[in-house]
Amino acid sequence: MTRDIKRVVVTGGAGFIGSHLCRELLERGADVVCVDNLVTGSLDNVGELFARPEFTFVHHNVSDFVHVPGPVDAVLHFASPASPVDYLELPIQTLKVGSLGTHNCLGLAKDKGARFFLASTSEVYGDPLVHPQPETYWGHVNPVGPRGVYDEAKRFAEAMTMAYHRYHGVDVRIARIFNVFGPRMRPSDGRVVSNFLVQALRGEPLTVYGDGSQTRSFCYVDDEVAGLLALLYSDLTGPVNVGNPNEFTVLQLAELVLEVTGSKSEVVRRPLPQDDPTRRQPDITLARAQLGWEPKVDLREGLARTADWFRRVIAVG
Ligand code: UDP
């Protein structure tokens, strides 16, 4: 049965997905404790929430012991660098927040008798040999490559979450998140959607890595948050893929960005980063059947909304 979730801790709550989650949880009547060390998150993302008495911000690195006074019904662990550019610059911190940070947050959930929710990732599938990727696929990850710091941290986080579930009886949920985009991404985030939109709006060349034939499946943030919360309030442990199954090549994305923004930017080639996955597409059969969830916003519409937001941010930035 779905428990009453009244007070929620969101780690990484000042980040891109985390800040959308904080807002939506407040909308649904929960009290929110946002914990963030602001390494890749920003107070701008949660600025106006400070006026609400149901919102608390704690400036803390969850790789160190996490203490939250008072009752807690759910711990949502979203803290981590998530853009390849960030986790390649912060390899040790990324490994620590996925391992020690997950351990600390599980400890908090156990102590409070709270539900624990792990933000895992499609990167656990690595450069997948099975396509599209169902949750039953174990993945194809290079543990010693540069992306290993994120991929293996999240794989460890999943294993640790299941260990707490099996051995301590902690009630857990695991979501595997696929390429989310939307308002509140940083212009300098480094991921492909923000790079292309910002480049297009500034009239700069769009930087396609490799030949642009690699694929991703992009999920608009409002859809993603709806799916994540459906999982949180469900009885499903997971892991569950939460993503948009519509797959695009990077070149197709570049063309769509030029079309949506009306930009005359040219497209230039840059070297393909090491171990960049060749293709990625979630199989969301499980989420559809068990959560009654599927994405509603198509890529064109999502890009248009995100372009509007970047226009405003770049104008004031
Ligand atoms: N990419 C690109 N140009 C950019 C940034 C990324 O062509 O300016 C490519 C990248 O090589 C990858 C895809 O876009 O194939 C998605 O990259 P992103 O960093 O958004 O996330 P990933 O899915 O790799 O974690």
Side-chain angles (χ1 to χ4, degrees):
M1 278 301 292
T2 300
R3 74 172 69 190
D4 210 6
I5 295 179
K6 294 199 187 79
R7 189 158 185 261
V8 184
V9 172
V10 182
T11 80
F16 166 47
I17 299 181
S19 62
H20 284 271
L21 270 176
C22 288
R23 258 180 203 79
E24 187 55 28
L25 286 161
L26 289 166
E27 281 309 303
R28 297 184 186 203
D31 287 4
V32 172
V33 181
C34 167
V35 185
D36 205 300
N37 68 351
L38 303 177
V39 166
T40 57
S42 162
L43 285 182
D44 292 341
N45 286 337
V46 287
E48 90 276 7
L49 302 183
F50 277 78
R52 302 176 69 154
E54 314 81 42
F55 180 79
T56 313
F57 177 78
V58 181
H59 189 190
H60 181 69
N61 181 352
V62 296
S63 298
D64 299 325
F65 183 80
V66 183
H67 174 66
V68 176
V72 174
D73 304 303
V75 177
L76 278 53
H77 183 35
F78 279 72
S80 178
S83 166
V85 173
D86 288 331
Y87 62 71
L88 299 182
E89 266 174 25
L90 303 165
I92 316 287
Q93 291 94 324
T94 302
L95 279 158
K96 285 175 77 174
V97 76
S99 54
L100 304 177
T102 301
H103 189 200
N104 290 332
C105 293
L106 279 160
L108 176 68
K110 176 171 167 268
D111 182 48
K112 302 286 184 180
R115 183 168 293 173
F116 177 80
F117 187 109
L118 177 67
S120 186
T121 169
S122 55
E123 283 281 325
V124 300
Y125 301 123
D127 191 4
L129 303 177
V130 171
H131 192 74
Q133 295 80 55
E135 291 85 352
T136 47
Y137 178 49
W138 291 354
H140 181 229
V141 171
N142 177 1
V144 294
R147 297 175 86 100
V149 299
Y150 185 67
D151 303 8
E152 296 294 5
K154 290 289 189 180
R155 288 169 69 94
F156 176 91
E158 289 196 8
M160 185 63 116
T161 299
M162 290 311 295
Y164 265 66
H165 177 56
R166 292 192 181 110
Y167 295 98
H168 291 309
V170 174
D171 184 24
V172 304
R173 306 286 179 272
I174 300 174
R176 292 184 178 153
I177 298 172
F178 285 68
N179 291 78
V180 182
F181 73 100
R184 292 199 202 100
M185 282 186 109
R186 288 169 299 153
S188 61
D189 175 276
R191 276 175 285 194
V192 69
V193 174
S194 46
N195 274 7
F196 284 1
L197 280 171
V198 170
Q199 289 161 345
L201 294 172
R202 287 182 173 150
E204 295 167 0
L206 270 56
T207 51
V208 168
Y209 300 165
D211 65 6
S213 66
Q214 69 273 33
T215 70
R216 294 293 186 273
S217 306
F218 302 98
C219 190
Y220 188 65
V221 68
D222 290 357
D223 281 333
E224 184 69 33
V225 166
L228 296 173
L229 291 183
L231 176 58
L232 173 69
Y233 291 105
S234 78
D235 290 331
L236 203 61
T237 295
V240 183
N241 290 336
V242 182
N244 188 318
N246 292 331
E247 184 184 14
F248 295 83
T249 67
V250 166
L251 266 184
Q252 285 172 326
L253 176 72
E255 281 158 19
L256 202 52
V257 164
L258 292 177
E259 201 183 305
V260 164
T261 56
S263 169
K264 301 270 181 292
S265 287
E266 57 172 339
V267 171
V268 296
R269 299 282 165 89
R270 294 284 178 266
L272 188 67
Q274 189 187 333
D275 296 339
D276 197 282
T278 313
R279 52 195 189 158
R280 177 181 292 160
Q281 181 187 31
D283 178 334
I284 62 164
T285 307
L286 185 63
R288 277 196 176 109
Q290 300 287 320
L291 305 178
W293 170 86
E294 65 180 354
K296 295 189 171 67
V297 181
D298 69 16
L299 184 57
R300 181 186 301 269
E301 171 62 22
L303 287 175
R305 292 188 202 174
T306 312
D308 285 346
W309 187 81
F310 274 127
R311 270 190 201 96
R312 291 202 297 276
V313 175
I314 294 170
V316 296

